Amino acid sequence: MRLLTLAFCAALPLAGLGAVPAHAVTCTKSVPNDLNNDGKADVVLGQPAARIDGVSKAGAVDVRITGGSAFRLTGPGMGLGTTTAGEFGSSVAIGFLDNDCYADLLMGAPRAAGGRAIFVPGAATGIDISKGKIIESDNPAGTDRFGSAVAIGRGIAFVGAPYHDPNGVKNAGRVYTFAVGSDDAVTAKGFLQQGTAPMQDSPEAGDHFGAVLAYRGDTLATGAPQENIVTATDAGAVHLTTFKQDEPATPQTDIFLNQDVSGVPGKAEKGDAFGAAIDDQVRTIGVPGEDVKSAVDAGGIITQVQTMTTTSPALRWVSQSSKGIPGKSKTGDRFGSALASGTAFLCPGKIGIAVGIPGKTVDTKVGAGMVTVVSESSSDCGTTAGRQITQNTSSIAGKVGKGNAFGTAFAVVPGATTAADGLLGGAPGSNLDDKRDTGRVANVLNLPKTSLRSLGGPDTDTFYGSVTTQR
């Protein structure tokens, strides 16, 4: 593995595999997602389909500092070349990596050769591009799609390469780990793959382990949505992996989840895509390909995932056909395609789960999309089990449109008010200024009625709102 500095674009060898520096900085880190440490959460939106300098899908990332500056990062501007359709911005995460008071950015460009990840540190002005690093895997010229997913946890950068071929097993997948020092130097720490202790299961062709990543506490959730479970092809699976306290890049235990595991609701079936979405607090797993009775790909979710690490798991199945949940399961809804969790999403003082339903038909508009908010536990919000939100909801900017795919992706704004987190939702198929599929990002919960456009301006087929921030 190697790194390239953004300033010089020259190959630099990685340092030796030393101990990860302690992250006990004496400063106030009041909210997650705070790049400039001003006490306010910032928003980062990926746009992998963005056309840059005439190159389709070169990719871009919009960085919006709350109450401050806005930055538009592009694939070519990040050193990925001027002719590469690298899909920069396919994944984005904010978290603390380099032992200071500013949250940092980790972004993926999985189609830049064998894939790249880019680290950019936070700073008082928002971000410091001059200290950015391009991160490569040990197969930089391959077809691994390194950077398809990224996550940050306890000073470690996790980068998914779901098309990696471990031991020659085609597209089984791998997750790489990197540490970032206080000098912003990046060090390769190793990798996770199925069948390598303590990781359970074994690599199989087409698993795509590492296609989805989320981190909370000491646990990394890794989705393998095309995992075959016995004869059920593409049924999907999720690994919940914990890491050592004194070695946060060293895996310690692993739980292998699928719908044939005791205590997990449902049954592993062809095309379920269990693990295609995981919320950024590792509370909920999406199963968007689940058939609900005769409704094909209607979708569902499993909540209270964190209880799997206890002796008394209490997982809960929710679909649009569940008691009290508004709406009805319909073919092609794909309920659970995107997930987010936050305080007061549904009722005061409780964690709510926002569920994306991008395939939902609304007012005869096919694929208009919808967001349904549910409680994490069935008893959390009393008789209020759920709430539906569309682009026709009075508090939402924009309007319902065919193919808008509202609910494709979410970004949480922690501490949007003193008692609630905010939520933004992508509608990447929205048309703006008479241009097709430009996309927009709407404020959905606990935020003023407005929406965001690409900082690069509306452009046809760029699908703004298809990728949002992990925290």
Side-chain angles (χ1 to χ4, degrees):
M1 303 176 200
R2 54 180 179 162
L3 306 176
L4 306 177
T5 64
L6 296 183
F8 303 105
C9 293
L12 295 178
L14 285 170
L17 302 185
V20 178
H23 282 249
V25 179
T26 54
C27 62
T28 300
K29 299 176 181 178
S30 56
V31 295
N33 298 26
D34 186 1
L35 292 166
N36 61 343
N37 194 34
D38 65 352
K40 301 174 184 177
D42 304 312
V43 175
V44 181
L45 303 171
Q47 193 177 0
R51 182 181 292 106
I52 306 297
D53 298 333
V55 179
S56 179
K57 298 184 179 180
V61 173
D62 284 358
V63 181
R64 299 172 184 267
I65 306 300
T66 301
S69 304
F71 305 86
R72 182 168 171 81
L73 312 179
T74 68
M78 293 289 97
L80 297 177
T82 57
T83 60
T84 301
E87 298 184 7
F88 171 63
S90 290
S91 57
V92 292
I94 301 179
F96 293 97
L97 280 171
D98 63 357
N99 198 31
D100 64 16
C101 301
Y102 307 107
D104 307 302
L105 277 181
L106 186 64
M107 303 163 285
R111 294 284 195 163
R116 302 290 185 269
I118 295 179
F119 157 72
V120 176
T125 55
I127 54 175
D128 188 347
I129 299 174
S130 69
K131 294 182 179 178
K133 303 287 192 303
I134 296 178
I135 305 172
E136 297 180 351
S137 74
D138 52 3
N139 187 28
T143 57
D144 290 0
R145 300 192 196 177
F146 174 86
S148 291
V150 295
I152 296 172
R154 292 179 56 217
I156 300 298
F158 297 90
V159 182
Y163 286 77
H164 180 78
D165 304 339
N167 303 320
V169 182
K170 187 74 171 176
N171 299 338
R174 173 180 282 183
V175 176
Y176 290 87
T177 58
F178 302 86
V180 179
S182 56
D183 59 354
D184 294 321
V186 181
T187 303
K189 301 301 294 181
F191 60 82
L192 310 175
Q193 68 185 35
Q194 294 170 307
T196 299
M199 305 302 294
Q200 297 192 46
D201 199 37
S202 58
E204 299 164 324
D207 282 349
H208 296 150
F209 173 82
V212 181
L213 296 173
Y215 191 100
R216 182 183 185 274
D218 292 322
T219 302
L220 176 73
T222 304
Q226 278 75 51
E227 173 89 29
N228 298 339
I229 305 299
V230 193
T231 60
T233 57
D234 298 341
V238 170
H239 289 258
L240 299 179
T241 310
T242 64
F243 293 80
K244 294 182 177 180
Q245 284 293 321
D246 57 345
E247 297 178 35
T250 302
Q252 184 168 254
T253 65
D254 183 58
I255 297 173
F256 181 61
L257 291 183
N258 64 72
Q259 287 183 283
D260 278 356
V261 170
S262 177
V264 178
K267 179 182 178 182
E269 297 167 319
K270 180 180 179 180
D272 280 349
F274 178 90
I278 305 170
D279 80 291
D280 62 3
Q281 294 192 66
V282 193
R283 295 177 179 273
T284 307
I285 294 172
V287 197
E290 178 84 18
D291 298 344
V292 180
K293 296 183 179 179
S294 62
V296 178
D297 294 343
I301 65 171
I302 291 174
T303 72
Q304 298 180 271
V305 172
Q306 292 173 25
T307 66
M308 283 303 300
T309 60
T310 71
T311 57
S312 302
L315 301 186
R316 175 190 180 211
W317 171 257
V318 180
S319 76
Q320 293 172 99
S321 295
S322 298
K323 182 179 179 180
I325 303 301
K328 183 178 179 180
S329 297
K330 296 287 187 69
T331 292
D333 280 351
R334 300 195 68 81
F335 178 92
S337 292
L339 296 166
S341 57
T343 300
F345 276 6
L346 185 62
C347 62
K350 298 290 185 179
I351 295 293
I353 308 296
V355 184
I357 323 173
K360 193 73 172 179
T361 297
V362 180
D363 296 342
T364 73
K365 303 293 193 301
V366 177
M370 177 183 287
V371 175
T372 293
V373 186
V374 303
S375 57
E376 182 178 26
S377 169
S378 60
S379 61
D380 281 350
C381 297
T383 58
T384 304
R387 173 189 173 197
Q388 287 183 332
I389 302 169
T390 74
Q391 288 183 282
N392 281 348
T393 301
S394 60
S395 59
I396 306 300
K399 63 181 180 179
V400 165
K402 180 180 178 181
N404 280 2
F406 178 59
T408 291
F410 296 121
V412 177
V413 182
T417 72
T418 56
D421 295 329
L423 181 72
L424 297 91
S430 294
N431 302 331
L432 297 176
D433 298 347
D434 297 322
K435 295 181 179 180
R436 184 186 70 251
D437 297 333
T438 56
R440 73 193 306 166
V441 176
N443 288 352
V444 178
L445 290 169
N446 305 324
L447 293 166
K449 180 178 178 179
T450 188
S451 67
L452 304 176
R453 296 181 174 209
S454 167
L455 291 176
D459 191 8
T460 300
D461 295 331
T462 53
F463 304 102
Y464 196 63
S466 60
V467 178
T468 55
T469 318
Q470 287 275 15
R471 54 175 167 167

